[in-house]
Amino acid sequence: METIILDANSPENVKRCAEEIRRGGLVALPTETVYGLGANALNEKAVLDIFSVKGRPGDNPLIVHVASRDEVLPLVSVIPDVFEILAETFWPGPLTLVMQKSPEVPAIVTAGLDTVAIRVPGHPAALALLETCGCPIAAPSANPSGRPSPTTALHVKNDLDGRIPFILDGGDCRVGLESTVLDITGEVPRILRPGGVTYDELAAIVKEVDIAGVTDASDCPHRASDDPPRSPGMKYRHYAPKAPLTAVLGTPDESAEYIKLRMGDKVAALMFDDHAFDHPNVVTYGRSVDHEAQAARLFGALRMLDGMDISEIYAQTPDESGLGHAVANRIKKAAGKNIVDLSG
Ligand code: TXA
Ligand code: MG
């Protein structure tokens, strides 16, 4: 199968992709966070194909994308009180809400869980596609499982060429890393995965926000409890470039100093623009204080490192304020156990 990239600005192309989804096929679609690998969420066979194309473990549930708030109703059995204000404030946008599922949602979508994750994406092409195909679209990030997520149509083409018919090209993803996954089934809304909507933005809208325990306490500055991870996806190594990556935590000056001392022919560095030094293996991803730029450039930078002849990567890791929380989370996930904390 040849994978064709279609310009999302053409309504004809959106229609072609919508037809493909309606007939049970897969289409890569742009969202404001990352590109998704979409299929009709109500078609079990199509959803099964998502898992096989991605090589995704069957116990990791998918996010269901809908065109508007009204389309959530048939998919859930309970609408929690906080739903209305959260949807009103953050949708369309990078917030995914986990609620009790209705029988309408196939078990394969939710990996057998009794909850379903839903969002209205904030990219006009994603919304146009959803409106045109008239069904909810299940879509994980459009990368092979475990690898950095795609933020351009070319990233998807590099990853999935020959495995899907169409990539709807909506340009570079504005946010650049995935949505925040928020569980609203309990008394206090709980962040299962940090993402495009920050803790502070959520805390300004709902009285209390909790953060699920991730692999270790340093992952989450706002962490409030000790529970095991509840978002199944968070337990896997993720977002990983090919060469082993070490996340270096501390002030930007400290981490830059640490990395500089370790550079070599086969060693690469992922650096803030304002701390980069002159070396052929340095890749930058935004100024140290600019978490928005870091989010937008991180996955592209990891992919660039994959194109280099290196055997080791050191990454400057941002402080965890605002969107820095999600950026640091992705870098630490990519690092696995290789984390150096210079702050003592
Ligand atoms: O920004 C995004 O969220 C992108 C775009 C395409 O929308 N999608 C995305 O999907 O990142 P994926 O499959 O790469 O990540 C989905 C995350 C996983 O960590 C998964 O475990 C979690 O959401 N998740 C899905 N359904 C869940 C549920 N019912 N309960 C808890 N976590 C859930
Ligand atoms: Mg993913």
Side-chain angles (χ1 to χ4, degrees):
M1 173 193 306
E2 193 199 345
T3 299
I4 302 170
I5 296 183
L6 297 171
D7 182 353
N9 289 313
S10 145
E12 270 313 301
N13 288 341
V14 172
K15 208 167 141 222
R16 208 166 153 194
C17 290
E19 275 159 11
E20 182 65 27
I21 287 195
R22 261 205 304 260
R23 76 161 171 262
L26 302 188
V27 169
L29 64 140
T31 83
E32 80 283 28
T33 59
V34 301
Y35 275 73
L37 178 60
N40 179 351
L42 305 179
N43 178 330
E44 290 187 37
K45 159 87 181 50
V47 173
L48 196 61
D49 286 343
I50 293 180
F51 282 88
S52 100
V53 164
K54 262 188 78 89
R56 184 176 176 107
D59 66 352
N60 192 4
L62 307 180
I63 293 172
V64 177
H65 300 72
V66 294
S68 74
R69 240 186 299 170
D70 297 342
E71 284 166 43
V72 169
L73 289 179
L75 305 175
V76 301
S77 59
V78 182
I79 293 272
D81 289 341
V82 288
F83 171 80
E84 213 43 56
I85 183 78
L86 288 169
E88 169 73 32
T89 309
F90 297 107
W91 282 358
L95 180 67
T96 295
L97 298 173
V98 173
M99 291 170 275
Q100 295 297 332
K101 80 186 258 311
S102 79
E104 194 129 326
V105 183
I108 181 169
V109 172
T110 63
L113 297 177
D114 55 7
T115 54
V116 59
I118 306 178
R119 82 179 187 104
V120 177
H123 192 295
L127 291 171
L129 181 66
L130 282 161
E131 272 154 23
T132 312
C133 68
C135 61
I137 295 180
S141 48
N143 50 289
S145 217
R147 310 265 305 128
S149 302
T151 55
T152 69
L154 265 185
H155 291 167
V156 182
K157 175 104 170 153
N158 287 337
D159 284 353
L160 302 179
D161 201 15
R163 314 218 45 196
I164 55 174
F166 302 127
I167 300 167
L168 193 57
D169 183 356
D172 294 357
C173 298
R174 181 176 55 80
V175 179
L177 45 73
E178 299 84 348
S179 63
T180 301
V181 178
L182 186 72
D183 180 351
I184 54 170
T185 59
E187 213 146 284
V188 178
R190 170 171 299 192
I191 296 175
L192 303 182
R193 176 180 73 181
V197 171
T198 66
Y199 173 89
D200 293 336
E201 286 169 327
L202 290 169
I205 297 299
V206 291
K207 273 199 301 285
E208 232 183 311
V209 188
D210 211 353
I211 299 189
V214 276
T215 43
D216 72 80
S218 65
D219 254 11
C220 283
H222 324 286
R223 198 169 97 101
S225 58
D226 272 330
D227 350 30
R230 289 227 308 195
S231 188
M234 296 309 281
K235 72 182 181 221
Y236 297 103
R237 182 160 183 250
H238 249 146
Y239 320 111
K242 288 172 189 147
L245 178 147
T246 300
V248 186
L249 284 57
T251 67
D253 285 341
E254 283 169 344
S255 56
E257 195 55 41
Y258 180 92
I259 293 170
K260 218 167 167 175
L261 288 171
R262 284 162 181 78
M263 287 307 285
D265 286 353
K266 296 279 182 184
V267 183
L270 180 60
M271 304 293 293
F272 300 132
D273 296 359
D274 46 341
H275 288 77
F277 45 87
D278 192 24
H279 191 286
N281 297 351
V282 168
V283 173
T284 60
Y285 76 115
R287 292 175 51 79
S288 54
V289 293
D290 190 349
H291 297 318
E292 280 70 25
Q294 291 158 17
R297 289 171 56 187
L298 176 65
F299 288 137
L302 292 177
R303 283 166 181 270
M304 196 176 295
L305 289 162
D306 273 347
M308 294 165 53
D309 179 23
I310 48 153
S311 55
E312 210 182 342
I313 302 164
Y314 289 94
Q316 278 197 291
T317 309
D319 73 78
E320 301 198 4
S321 62
L323 206 51
H325 183 198
V327 175
N329 169 273
R330 303 304 187 270
I331 292 177
K332 288 190 225 168
K333 287 275 159 194
K337 290 193 168 32
N338 303 331
I339 295 176
V340 173
D341 190 350
L342 302 172
S343 64

